[in-house]
Amino acid sequence: MKLSQFGYKLPEELIAQHPVENRDESRLMVLHKKTGEIEHKMFKDVIDYFDEKDVFVMNDTKVFPARLYGNKEKTGARIEVFLLRELNPTTKLWDVLVDPARKIRIGNKLYFGEDESLVAEVIDNTTSRGRTLRFLYDGTYEEFRKKLRELGETPLPKELGREVEPEDEERYQTIYASNEGAVAAPVAGLHFSKHLLKRMEIKGIDVTSVTMHIGLGTFSPVEVEDLSKHKMDSEQAFISQETCNIVNKAIDEKRNICAVGTTTMRSLESAVSSDGHLNTFDGWTNKFIFPEYEFSIANAMITNFHNPKSTLMMQAAAFAGYDFLKKAYDVAMKEKYRFSTYGDAMLIID
């Protein structure tokens, strides 16, 4: 498939600036793959499409405050540093993105915080905006990480076009987030409330989790027209034996398995055994899913309405079918669904 096939004009007013007041009261578009039917519901109605012993798989990664602002030595220029990945805890080496990148060269030093107690030295270039930084901090590793959290802010996507607000710290995080390491939220999971999870438990729906620390791979733009030539940046994922047991039992019993979000789906598809079951996983995956693709584990998927030409939209198209997804997006724009990070949700089922 071609990159241009995923382009569409997204009206700016449909990009959700803020989350709805109650997490589970986003709108929900339900796509029935077998019949081509499209329904309009509230997110809390998602429970109506699943039965006892069906399984929901969530991504329990936790977003850390990855966006820092520092000042360049001598000039004092304000530089944004977006933390991507810790390379070495002992030497405090990190992969980051910097902006404006043209001002930042190897050997430059950046100072953070009013007391400038945290300093970083640029030791390598990785991509056009990418740099490797060595942080210098007079304290233990735990104190250093605490300092990063103090100075960092919630890494809201730039497309929202607004400053971070106090509510973002809580709302740009799933309520079940537990393993810190992501620089972007698994947004399909933002719609789940404690009340909805309780209702699922009462109905007997099983909930389990994988961990995928969302990094550059998920939100990097695709820059090649031929999608088969796009290389995803690797992201770290973990799947436990307990999750495998729950998922594999559901497969054997022909239950529904719903992947909550594209990162959950990519984690599952990165760990498929030769007989179509789920294996444990502890490593890095650069799995890129686009049409045509044969899915092995989940037969249902929850996802948001994604930006044009994004890898997230491509994966949703692979699951729903390209033509069906394009139709759904046209309907969503006509019906004024909210798009992007804080937007509404879509459930794709057979």
Side-chain angles (χ1 to χ4, degrees):
M1 295 212 72
K2 305 292 183 196
L3 176 64
S4 50
Q5 290 174 268
F6 292 90
Y8 69 93
K9 187 157 177 47
L10 175 57
E12 214 165 285
E13 66 270 16
L14 294 186
I15 298 174
Q17 292 293 308
H18 295 88
V20 293
E21 188 176 350
N22 298 315
R23 287 178 184 262
D24 60 11
E25 290 183 351
S26 304
R27 291 167 77 191
L28 177 70
M29 182 186 282
V30 184
L31 274 59
H32 295 267
K33 290 200 283 185
K34 282 201 175 105
T35 63
E37 183 192 358
I38 292 176
E39 293 184 282
H40 305 286
K41 300 284 185 177
M42 297 284 278
F43 190 80
K44 57 189 176 187
D45 300 328
V46 74
I47 193 169
D48 298 339
Y49 296 89
F50 297 90
D51 297 315
E52 188 179 359
K53 297 298 176 194
D54 286 344
V55 174
F56 274 58
V57 188
M58 322 275 205
N59 182 2
D60 67 7
T61 189
K62 188 173 186 179
V63 180
F64 67 92
R67 189 173 276 128
L68 307 173
Y69 292 95
N71 296 100
K72 190 178 166 189
E73 63 178 337
K74 296 180 184 158
T75 68
R78 189 174 190 248
I79 306 294
E80 178 191 305
V81 172
F82 193 90
L83 301 172
L84 286 177
R85 183 185 299 166
E86 185 175 44
L87 299 174
N88 188 321
T90 311
T91 54
K92 303 185 184 70
L93 282 187
W94 282 75
D95 264 345
V96 305
L97 298 177
V98 293
D99 190 24
R102 66 183 185 282
K103 293 186 173 180
I104 301 301
R105 298 190 172 88
I106 293 171
N108 288 160
K109 283 203 171 93
L110 300 170
Y111 294 84
F112 301 89
E114 285 183 16
D115 60 358
E116 298 187 342
S117 59
L118 181 66
V119 183
E121 184 180 5
V122 182
I123 63 168
D124 202 3
N125 299 326
T126 51
T127 60
S128 57
R129 287 180 55 216
R131 302 289 185 271
T132 302
L133 298 188
R134 178 189 288 117
F135 283 98
L136 310 167
Y137 184 71
D138 193 14
T140 64
Y141 177 72
E142 286 69 30
E143 289 166 341
F144 163 66
R145 289 302 298 244
K146 188 179 172 205
K147 191 71 176 175
L148 285 185
R149 277 194 287 275
E150 275 172 22
L151 294 172
E153 69 174 34
T154 303
L156 269 195
K158 287 282 177 74
E159 74 239 14
L160 266 60
R162 68 167 174 83
E163 294 293 312
V164 173
E165 295 168 18
E167 71 160 357
D168 291 314
E169 188 176 348
E170 180 206 344
R171 294 302 301 271
Y172 192 61
Q173 195 84 270
T174 62
I175 61 165
Y176 47 78
S178 55
N179 291 309
E180 190 174 84
V183 300
V187 296
L190 298 179
H191 305 285
F192 287 86
S193 63
K194 284 183 178 148
H195 182 61
L196 177 55
L197 289 177
K198 192 70 190 167
R199 285 174 59 220
M200 289 166 66
E201 185 189 330
I202 291 164
K203 191 167 182 176
I205 294 169
D206 288 329
V207 175
T208 189
S209 60
V210 298
T211 304
M212 179 184 269
H213 293 317
I214 302 166
L216 200 54
T218 296
F219 60 86
S220 276
V222 178
E223 292 173 338
V224 288
E225 178 64 5
D226 179 354
L227 296 187
S228 66
K229 293 187 163 53
H230 176 64
K231 296 283 184 284
M232 287 282 272
D233 199 66
S234 290
E235 291 163 310
Q236 197 172 18
F238 307 90
I239 301 174
S240 68
Q241 187 62 58
E242 183 189 2
T243 290
C244 290
N245 294 345
I246 292 167
V247 168
N248 290 334
K249 186 169 186 277
I251 290 171
D252 293 339
E253 294 176 356
K254 300 198 165 28
R255 307 283 183 191
N256 292 310
I257 298 168
C258 181
V260 178
T262 56
T263 53
T264 298
M265 185 69 89
R266 281 177 49 229
S267 300
L268 296 175
E269 291 296 314
S270 297
V272 181
S273 68
S274 55
D275 66 351
H277 285 71
L278 186 63
N279 284 329
T280 58
F281 191 89
D282 181 353
W284 297 78
T285 177
N286 62 353
K287 187 94 176 164
F288 174 39
I289 298 173
F290 60 97
E292 305 281 327
Y293 183 87
E294 197 69 43
F295 289 85
S296 299
I297 304 290
N299 66 340
M301 177 184 183
I302 294 168
T303 192
N304 277 25
F305 293 91
H306 302 295
N307 291 345
K309 298 184 177 179
S310 62
T311 59
L312 311 169
M313 182 187 178
M314 291 162 194
Q315 189 188 129
F319 194 74
Y322 173 79
D323 293 334
F324 195 19
L325 190 87
K326 288 291 274 187
K327 179 187 171 186
Y329 272 48
D330 289 342
V331 170
M333 286 188 278
K334 191 167 145 238
E335 297 290 331
K336 300 281 189 278
Y337 272 74
R338 291 152 44 90
F339 279 64
S340 199
T341 298
Y342 279 142
D344 294 317
M346 174 187 281
L347 168 65
I348 308 167
I349 52 177
D350 280 339

